[in-house]
């Protein structure tokens, strides 16, 4: 036989000297880590689910608003509204142009009247020489 001792004694000594306490501690730490990871994963899943629900509600709200906007939008009325606004814009531009031209004409007329007023003030109350002589001639005949 190859063994010098009785196999039962060897097995009994092997079992007695076998130390499983560090392995039990390592397994306990692994179980704690797995538990912590499981809790963290559950927490992230709950957060993701709540974010998904919030985004779903937001999507639903925006979809309803979009469909409502599309139902109230009329391309024909939109085009006619743009045409009407363009027409108003051109009318306003034309009226503005006409008023600017009229304003310039009135400014020129005002300048002419100011010049005429300056002439009349320069002539004085009696008027210019020709008018005064004509009046003096009329006075002599009277």
């Amino acid at each position: 036989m190859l063994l010098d001792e009785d196999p039962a004694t060897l097995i009994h000594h092997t079992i007695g000297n076998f130390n499983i306490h560090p392995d039990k501690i390592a397994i306990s730490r692994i179980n704690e880590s797995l538990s912590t990871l499981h809790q963290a994963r559950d927490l992230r899943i709950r957060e993701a689910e709540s974010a998904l629900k919030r985004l779903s509600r937001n999507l639903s709200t925006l979809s309803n608003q979009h469909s409502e906007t599309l139902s109230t939008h009329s391309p024909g009325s939109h085009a006619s509204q743009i045409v009407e606004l363009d027409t108003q814009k051109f009318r306003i531009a034309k009226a503005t142009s006409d008023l600017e031209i009229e304003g310039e004409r009135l400014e020129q007329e005002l300048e002419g009247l100011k010049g005429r007023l300056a002439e009349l003030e320069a002539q004085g109350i009696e008027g210019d020489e020709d008018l005064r002589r004509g009046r003096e001639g009329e006075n002599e005949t009277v």
Side-chain angles (χ1 to χ4, degrees):
M1 186 171 216
L2 295 172
L3 300 173
D4 293 335
E5 291 187 40
D6 181 29
T9 307
L10 283 174
I11 291 172
H12 184 58
H13 284 294
T14 303
I15 291 173
N17 289 333
F18 195 67
N19 188 7
I20 61 169
H21 184 66
D23 292 337
K24 285 183 176 180
I25 292 173
I27 289 174
S28 173
R29 281 183 289 164
I30 290 171
N31 283 337
E32 286 177 22
S33 295
L34 285 175
S35 175
T36 304
L37 287 173
H38 183 66
Q39 289 174 353
R41 186 172 54 191
D42 286 345
L43 178 62
R44 274 192 260 146
I45 288 172
R46 281 193 302 263
E47 288 174 353
E49 286 174 344
S50 68
L52 180 62
K53 287 178 184 177
R54 185 173 14 94
L55 290 172
S56 293
R57 286 191 302 268
N58 194 7
L59 174 65
S60 174
T61 301
L62 291 175
S63 294
N64 289 339
Q65 287 176 351
H66 181 258
S67 62
E68 185 178 319
T69 301
L70 287 179
S71 68
T72 59
H73 176 69
S74 171
S77 112
H78 181 72
S80 67
Q81 208 173 21
I82 288 176
V83 168
E84 177 64 29
L85 290 173
D86 280 346
T87 303
Q88 287 178 2
K89 179 177 74 174
F90 289 123
R91 285 181 186 156
I92 290 170
K94 173 82 168 97
T96 302
S97 174
D98 291 346
L99 288 173
E100 285 175 353
I101 291 170
E102 180 66 16
E104 289 174 4
R105 185 190 67 77
L106 289 173
E107 283 179 7
Q108 289 174 352
E109 186 177 333
L110 177 63
E111 290 300 317
L113 290 174
K114 283 181 181 178
R116 178 75 177 132
L117 177 62
E119 278 180 30
L120 291 175
E121 285 178 350
Q123 290 175 3
I125 297 175
E126 295 291 322
D128 66 354
E129 288 294 319
D130 294 333
L131 287 174
R132 214 172 334 132
R133 285 186 194 140
R135 273 188 261 150
E136 287 175 3
E138 290 175 9
N139 285 343
E140 291 175 1
T141 57
V142 175

